Each structure stands twice: as C-alpha cells, then as structure tokens.
C-alpha cells in the first residue's frame, strides 16, 4: 500500500514526493498565485480611480467634446495645448488600465475553476500569463503554439511534443579572436544557487544548468528563493575586478542577468525581475532577437540570434557587456554600471527553455 500523503514510505528516496504531495504543492502555489492576481487587480483599480480623479481635477467629464473649451478658453494657447495633451494621455492610461483589469478578472475567474491537478497544460496557461517579463511581442507571454490551444485538447506528453525546445545552435571557431582571448583570462567559475531557484526551475549538471520543469521541484522553503519569477542566482559574488563567463541557451526565451544580492525575491512586482529595477541588468534572448533591460528601460538590439552569450563585468571601468559568440565575437550591448557592492549572475528561464553555464578551462578553447 502506498503511504499517505506527507508520510515517508519504507523504501522512499530522500527528496522525492508522492503524487498527492506534488498535487498539494502545486495547488498551494496556485492559491498563492490567485492571491497575487487579486492583489494586482486591487492595485490597478486604485490607480484607475486616481487617474479618473485627475480628469475631474482638470474639469473633464467622459466626453470628447469637453476638450473643446480647453482650446477656446481665455488661458494662453500654449497652456491649453499642454492641458489637452495631459487630458489625452490620462485618458489613454485609463483605457489601458480598464482593459488590464478586465483581463485580470477573467483570469482570476479561470483560476477559480480549479483546473485538474494532473493537467500541466491548463495550469501553465494560467500561471504563465502572470509570470512572464513585460515587453514581449507576444502579449500573453505564452509560446505562440500554445495561445489558441484548448487546455483540454492534449495531455502533458502531447503538449511537450508540440512545443519542442527551440535550439539556437551555438557556433565556435573563436581561437584566433584576440578580444575573446583577452577576456578568457578573466573567466570566473559560476555555480547556480539552489536556495534561490524558483520551484519551477530544475538544476542539473552539478548546478551548471537550469531548465524549466514539467512540475514543481521539492525545494525546501528559503528566504532567498524567488517565489514568483522563474529566476535563479549564482552563488559567487562578483565585484572589484574583471569577471567573464559564457552561457549556452536554448528554447523560447531566457534572460541573462546580473543583480545585487538585495534584489527582491517575493511577490509579482517588478522589484524582483531582472532588468526591471535599479538593482539589476539583463539581456533578453529569444528566437525573435535580443533586448537589453535596466530599470524598466529597454533597448532593442538588431543582431542574429546565437546560442552562446559572453558576459564581461568590468568593475574597474564600470561596464557590463554582453557578446554573442559565433564565428566571430559581436558586442550586443554595453551598460555603464558602477558596483559598490558585490553582484551576482542570474537567469530567468521560460517554459521549454534552458541555460547552461559553460566551462572556460584552457582545454575548452
């Protein structure tokens, strides 16, 4: 007889979970997610009310014609134009907030239907909607093959078959490139820190590889763990000198980041998302291209995608550089960065995606 949920069987391996325990863990995370969604709805409703009050303070009612007196009034034309611009911008924000609230409430209702615990596709469709970084061309954040797919159409195996990992084949032949040879002398060994990994991320290859898993991992509770964003940090602090590392990535999307240890680990706000706050920087890599992020500011990068990325943190000169490593070394983006306290490398990983920290021993190049 199988032991009851939460009890250890006589021959049970350490760190494993029964199906009931895995289902309970997933349900617990689903409940947490719904609470966060409700919190986000409340925040947006408060912001909506604030913007509506702004319109009222400008003497505007919900009518396009009410803008006309602003131009015909006795105030200087330049002031009237500025006021009109503010009105229109506020109205645009109101419309956007209303649409976001409508979508969030719809998703909240879907989550309340309690999807079957064994249907990973349904669970991920709801979960991923709230857990993808902003700025994607895909507004839902889901793989395009999944957007119009009914949760009930397929089981988990068929889901994985239809959404096979995209592999951006890495290219080498860099032995004679002087710049890379110079950077390799600063190679810094990195190891992923399990205590920071989101429960949907699986670590392997001696904590050198992170993959988005099919189910949650049985990590113990830890205050350093990212509980919302699909992120993990590396253990080794980086500060005061030159540090260089390379990673190979594959899949729908990953983000290669650098962050202060004090970056937020809890909740769905952007204070914990690489590149969307003043405590982190990131390079977003997908099959459609690259985007550099810092403090919510993004820079689109036009360059062929490649499966190997080099990162150089130059603390003495205050720069953070990202390179694509193919038949030649190409600078993708360079940040001005002045680190007064140690930084940590980190990664955000989408479903069907992975990142591997490369070995840079002399024998490898």
């Amino acid at each position: 007889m199988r032991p009851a949920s939460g009890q250890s069987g006589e021959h049970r391996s350490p760190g494993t979970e029964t199906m009931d325990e895995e289902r309970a863990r997933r349900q617990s995370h689903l409940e947490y997610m719904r609470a966060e969604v409700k919190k986000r709805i409340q925040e947006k409703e408060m912001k909506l009310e604030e913007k509506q009050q702004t319109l009222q303070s400008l003497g505007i009612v919900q009518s396009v014609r009410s803008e006309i007196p602003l131009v015909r009034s006795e105030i200087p034309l330049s002031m009237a134009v500025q006021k009109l611009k503010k009105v229109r911008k506020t109205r645009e924000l109101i419309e956007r907030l209303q649409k976001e609230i409508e979508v969030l409430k719809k998703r909240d209702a879907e989550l309340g239907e309690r999807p079957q615990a064994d249907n990973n596709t349904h669970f991920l469709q709801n979960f991923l909607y709230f857990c993808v970084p902003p700025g994607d061309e895909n507004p839902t954040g889901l793989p395009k093959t999944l957007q119009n797919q009914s949760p009930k159409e397929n089981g988990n195996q068929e889901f994985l078959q239809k959404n096979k990992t995209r592999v951006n084949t890495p290219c080498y032949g860099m032995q004679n490139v002087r710049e890379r040879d110079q950077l390799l002398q600063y190679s810094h060994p990195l190891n992923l820190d399990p205590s920071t990994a989101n429960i949907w991320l699986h670590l392997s290859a001696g904590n050198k590889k992170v993959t988005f898993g099919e189910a949650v991992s049985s990590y113990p509770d830890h205050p350093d763990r990212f509980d919302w964003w699909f992120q993990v940090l590396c253990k080794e602090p980086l500060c005061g000198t030159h540090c260089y590392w390379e990673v190979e990535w594959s899949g729908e999307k990953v983000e290669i980041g650098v962050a202060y240890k004090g970056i937020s680990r809890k909740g769905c706000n952007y204070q914990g998302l690489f590149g969307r706050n003043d405590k982190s920087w990131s390079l977003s890599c997908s099959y459609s291209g690259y985007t550099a992020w810092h403090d919510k500011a993004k820079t689109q990068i036009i360059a062929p995608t490649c499966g190997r990325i080099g990162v150089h943190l130059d603390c003495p000169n205050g720069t953070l550089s990202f390179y694509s490593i193919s038949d030649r070394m190409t600078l993708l983006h360079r940040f001005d960065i002045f680190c007064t306290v140690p930084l940590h490398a980190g990664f955000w990983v989408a479903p069907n995606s992975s990142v591997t920290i490369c070995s840079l021993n002399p024998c490898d190049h």
Side-chain angles (χ1 to χ4, degrees), residues 96-135:
R96 189 179 71 186
L97 285 167
Q98 288 172 333
K99 290 178 181 178
E100 290 176 351
I101 291 170
E102 181 182 353
V103 172
L104 284 169
K105 286 184 175 180
K106 180 180 177 181
R107 293 292 176 172
D108 181 43
E110 291 175 358
L111 292 174
E113 295 174 359
R114 297 172 62 97
Q116 296 179 5
D118 292 329
N119 192 329
N120 276 0
T121 306
H122 193 176
F123 182 82
L124 286 175
Q125 279 185 306
N126 285 292
F127 185 70
L128 296 179
Y129 183 84
F130 304 102
C131 298
V132 295

Side-chain angles (χ1 to χ4, degrees), residues 252-312:
E252 294 285 348
K253 182 177 181 180
V254 304
E255 299 221 2
I256 301 166
V258 175
Y260 289 114
K261 188 175 182 179
I263 190 171
S264 175
R265 313 300 174 90
K266 309 302 177 186
C268 61
N269 63 76
Y270 292 159
Q271 293 306 306
L273 179 59
F274 294 152
R276 279 61 170 192
N277 49 70
D278 61 0
K279 294 182 174 61
S280 61
W281 298 256
S282 74
L283 178 72
S284 175
C285 308
S286 72
Y287 56 87
S288 60
Y290 303 105
T291 307
W293 286 90
H294 174 60
D295 204 11
K296 294 184 181 179
K298 68 176 181 178
T299 302
Q300 295 292 147
I301 300 168
I302 301 175
T305 56
C306 182
R308 192 170 180 117
I309 299 295
V311 188
H312 178 213

